[in-house]
Amino acid sequence: MASLLEDTMFLMKKYHIKANKSLGQNFLIDENVVEKIVEKSNISKEDLVIEIGPGLGTLTSKLLEKAGKVVAIELDKKMLNILNDRFYLYDNFSLINQDVLKVDLGKLIEEEKEKNGLKNAKIVANLPYYITTPIIMKLLEEKLDLESITVMIQKEVANRLVSIPGSKSAGAITYTVYFYSIAKELLEVPNNSFIPEPEVTSEVIKLDIRKEEPVKVKSKKVMFRIIKCAFMQRRKTLLNALVNTKVFLNKEEGIKVLKELDLSEDIRPEKLTLEDFANITNIILK
Ligand code: SAM
């Protein structure tokens, strides 16, 4: 049996493909990693799987064996012939040639689930790294009818996404991920699992979407805005960051709010829990 590396080289040669760096094309050639992603995604015939960036179809071919339906979204036109040639015999495969950030995923999920009588929708992908954050934010903030998101991303970003609010490596995005999901790291993936090799180490993470929101807050939009302002000036204290960005009208107001919540005047943003930010929001909106 040919190895995944040989299959990949063969397809690239046959279809005259050169990996396009600006589209984040790093193709998986490690069978074990592909197997692990599929296994951890926990896919059944009752699932709709949306794959972002199928590329040459390495992951797609395994997903098709397990899922009720796979909808693959690929921006690069050069991949379309390959994918259609490889999977035209599968009646549970469809391909959308679009930028994933522009796809109405809510509508897509609703229609595909209904048309195919499927129970759950899951995202599985080896993401293009140049747009990891906007993709994750879209998947979470659009409140899609999703059960889980299993994705390969840069390890550095993974660490930030899965860290716990209130811990040292937390950033603004940590709070968004925590609000919408329970995140875990699954597998570190070395650079030589891809061709061409990416310049950064990779990691597979899984986000299980929460059924209930973990904090009560008057306005999510305002809370996330406050979190963004707090982390815009990471080296500053929370108080200074929120005064500078006009979340607090002035220092006196800020000190009053922090006192009411038993938070120190010189606390740094990453020390706050999600509940702390929800409380600040609720006081400001009172
Ligand atoms: N799934 C393949 C694999 O694992 O070998 C390829 C993964 S590669 C890291 C990322 C893929 O995302 C590429 O095929 C690339 O063309 C595609 N891509 C890049 N930007 C995209 C976008 N905005 N929307 C959809 N797909 C995109």
Side-chain angles (χ1 to χ4, degrees), residues 23-28 51 53-55 58 73-76 98-100 126-128 130-131:
L23 284 179
Q25 290 179 352
N26 300 97
F27 304 115
L28 260 172
E51 188 192 2
T58 305
I73 304 172
E74 174 57 61
L75 178 61
D76 189 356
Q98 220 180 319
D99 174 353
V100 66
N126 171 16
L127 287 181
Y130 73 105
I131 43 168

Side-chain angles (χ1 to χ4, degrees), residues 57-240:
T58 305
L59 192 52
T60 324
S61 88
K62 304 275 182 214
L63 294 172
L64 281 166
E65 303 296 337
K66 301 264 179 189
K69 173 91 197 254
V70 176
V71 177
I73 304 172
E74 174 57 61
L75 178 61
D76 189 356
K77 281 199 166 49
K78 287 194 186 135
M79 301 296 164
L80 304 186
N81 276 345
I82 309 176
L83 294 163
N84 284 322
D85 287 354
R86 282 188 79 175
F87 305 127
Y88 77 99
L89 284 177
Y90 288 83
D91 57 7
N92 63 340
F93 173 68
S94 67
L95 183 56
I96 298 175
N97 177 213
Q98 220 180 319
D99 174 353
V100 66
L101 295 176
K102 298 196 178 132
V103 176
D104 184 344
L105 291 173
K107 193 164 151 229
L108 175 75
I109 292 168
E110 194 188 326
E111 286 176 359
E112 288 290 344
K113 270 179 73 178
E114 194 178 318
K115 198 165 67 184
N116 300 289
L118 299 169
K119 276 204 178 141
N120 310 302
K122 295 172 180 169
I123 303 278
V124 184
N126 171 16
L127 287 181
Y129 293 173
Y130 73 105
I131 43 168
T132 303
T133 306
I135 293 176
I136 303 261
M137 293 301 271
K138 176 184 168 83
L139 296 175
L140 294 173
E141 289 185 331
E142 289 188 1
K143 295 238 55 179
L144 304 169
D145 175 17
L146 282 177
E147 195 173 270
S148 63
I149 300 169
T150 309
V151 281
M152 172 101 70
I153 59 176
Q154 310 92 299
K155 185 172 169 49
E156 202 190 342
V157 179
N159 290 344
R160 183 144 288 183
L161 296 190
V162 306
S163 78
I164 305 202
S167 70
K168 215 174 164 188
S169 48
I173 197 170
T174 310
Y175 293 82
T176 309
V177 170
Y178 184 85
F179 184 84
Y180 291 110
S181 71
I182 297 165
K184 52 179 176 269
E185 290 169 286
L186 296 182
L187 177 71
E188 192 175 309
V189 181
N191 300 20
N192 63 7
S193 296
F194 309 82
I195 53 165
E197 290 191 16
E199 276 144 27
V200 292
T201 310
S202 303
E203 188 157 77
V204 181
I205 60 163
K206 185 170 187 195
L207 310 181
D208 286 308
I209 305 299
R210 289 184 194 273
K211 306 236 179 311
E212 275 178 42
E213 296 177 349
V215 290
K216 295 254 168 292
V217 63
K218 284 187 181 152
S219 163
K220 272 184 280 191
K221 204 170 151 199
V222 174
M223 179 175 74
F224 287 125
R225 173 120 200 80
I226 292 175
I227 293 174
K228 223 178 228 164
C229 290
F231 281 92
M232 246 187 254
Q233 302 177 308
R234 215 183 148 83
R235 276 160 216 275
K236 293 216 158 55
T237 61
L238 177 78
L239 180 62
N240 284 339

